[in-house]
Amino acid sequence: MICGNRRISLSRTVVMGILNVTPDSFSDGGRFRDLDASLRHAESMQAAGAEIIDVGGESTRPGSESVTIAQELDRVVPVIEALNRDLDVVISIDTSKPAVMRAAIDAGAGMINDVNALRSEGAIPIAAAAGVPVCLMHMLGEPRTMQNSPVYGDVVEEVRDYLESRAAACIAGGVDKRQIVIDPGFGFGKHVGHNLELLRRLKELGTEYPVMAGLSRKSMIGKLLGLPMDRRVHASVALAMIALANGARLLRVHDVGPTVDAVRMYEAVYFD
Ligand code: 7PJ
């Protein structure tokens, strides 16, 4: 994949580290502190082996409310500028808003990660013009309401058909086919059973596009094991390895170090 002036090879597993920039303080002191903390966190994820840093300024967790374009720009643009200046890493912008995609790319982002799969009006032209990779994720409904009794016939077929149709729409709009990544969107309008079935049958998403899996610390772990967010590392790594075994090429994770250790062992067994 060609990510602006940086390249990423998918011949090895690619780990994307998650950088949430949803500040709890809006005072100037707080903002500087947040920026510095974000930079240091990104740096440590890169040192641990993350090739991509995914910067998100809007929580897409189930039940979350949306933020305005101005708020989101305010959060992500300074962070992307600083990362681009200080680190040699691919920066991904996690957003569904075309204006935020545009500004993030101008600030140095080299990839778009959109839980809405570029469905927003004007998103495809921006991605096509920028020429950056796009991750198209499946979501049933929207974040605020998506966990209200999601119903599928065959969850894997529906997710696959949706992702194929979104990829086709992107290609028709000028996105380079080689720059498309697909993601089943674990936890987005899916019950635990749907998530487990998607993971078990991940290969059925096909081989046309590289698959990204985001399972890190997700609520399915909380539901199955009764663990709080800060104790889900081991289960997250286990799920990531199952995703690899079932064909995932990119992993979106919070805990980069533990995941990279496991990925290296997996690759020692199967590829080295
Ligand atoms: C995902 C994401 C995911 C992609 C989030 C969380 C919720 N983007 N953004 N895939 N999840 N591509 O991290 O728990 O699974 S936000």
Side-chain angles (χ1 to χ4, degrees):
M1 299 190 300
I2 300 165
C3 312
N5 53 8
R6 299 181 176 103
R7 277 162 194 273
I8 285 187
S9 162
L10 292 171
S11 64
R12 289 277 179 148
T13 306
V14 172
V15 173
M16 168 190 270
I18 300 167
L19 187 66
N20 285 319
V21 285
T22 41
D24 46 9
S25 166
F26 288 95
S27 77
D28 272 340
R31 287 167 57 123
F32 280 119
R33 236 190 2 262
D34 288 345
L35 183 61
D36 191 53
S38 296
L39 261 175
R40 277 186 286 112
H41 185 46
E43 208 165 358
S44 79
M45 290 195 289
Q46 184 189 26
E51 289 186 74
I52 308 173
I53 302 294
D54 192 36
V55 179
E58 174 178 28
S59 175
T60 40
R61 288 190 178 287
S64 57
E65 300 290 338
S66 48
V67 298
T68 66
I69 292 174
Q71 280 173 316
E72 205 175 321
L73 287 173
D74 216 40
R75 292 173 182 182
V76 300
V77 169
V79 173
I80 293 169
E81 283 173 347
L83 289 177
N84 190 46
R85 188 177 53 236
D86 294 354
L87 297 183
D88 184 23
V89 70
V90 171
I91 302 158
S92 160
I93 175 67
D94 179 354
T95 190
S96 295
K97 297 187 182 73
V100 177
M101 293 173 190
R102 174 78 268 157
I105 288 160
D106 290 344
M111 179 168 181
I112 296 169
N113 174 31
D114 184 5
V115 299
N116 208 29
L118 303 188
R119 277 186 292 172
S120 303
E121 177 81 39
I124 291 176
I126 286 169
V132 297
V134 294
C135 180
L136 307 175
M137 198 197 78
H138 174 272
M139 166 168 61
L140 190 68
E142 49 175 292
R144 208 165 45 77
T145 55
M146 65 190 176
Q147 290 304 89
N148 301 348
S149 53
V151 175
Y152 295 90
D154 182 314
V155 64
V156 183
E157 279 176 24
E158 284 179 37
V159 167
R160 184 197 57 213
D161 291 351
Y162 171 84
L163 293 172
E164 277 175 6
S165 86
R166 292 311 304 152
C170 288
I171 293 164
V175 175
D176 186 336
K177 186 172 179 180
R178 294 165 301 185
Q179 298 280 72
I180 295 176
V181 172
I182 58 172
D183 183 328
F186 291 103
F188 283 81
K190 286 131 191 143
H191 288 323
V192 171
H194 297 135
N195 292 318
L196 296 176
E197 182 158 9
L198 273 166
L199 184 55
R200 203 157 43 230
R201 296 171 56 198
L202 197 65
K203 281 205 167 96
E204 292 176 46
L205 295 182
T207 53
E208 193 131 50
Y209 305 101
V211 171
M212 165 152 11
L215 291 149
S216 184
R217 299 187 189 173
K218 285 208 168 156
S219 70
M220 62 184 288
I221 300 170
K223 292 198 177 101
L224 289 168
L225 305 184
L227 291 172
M229 203 64 99
D230 62 349
R231 293 195 47 213
R232 297 180 186 171
V233 181
H234 308 288
S236 297
V237 172
L239 292 174
M241 292 307 98
I242 298 168
L244 279 197
N246 290 343
R249 309 283 289 282
L250 305 98
L251 300 171
R252 181 179 179 276
V253 307
H254 300 88
D255 305 289
V256 174
T259 306
V260 167
D261 282 353
V263 167
R264 289 200 180 127
M265 290 312 299
Y266 181 92
E267 297 193 337
V269 173
Y270 289 108
F271 301 132
D272 286 346

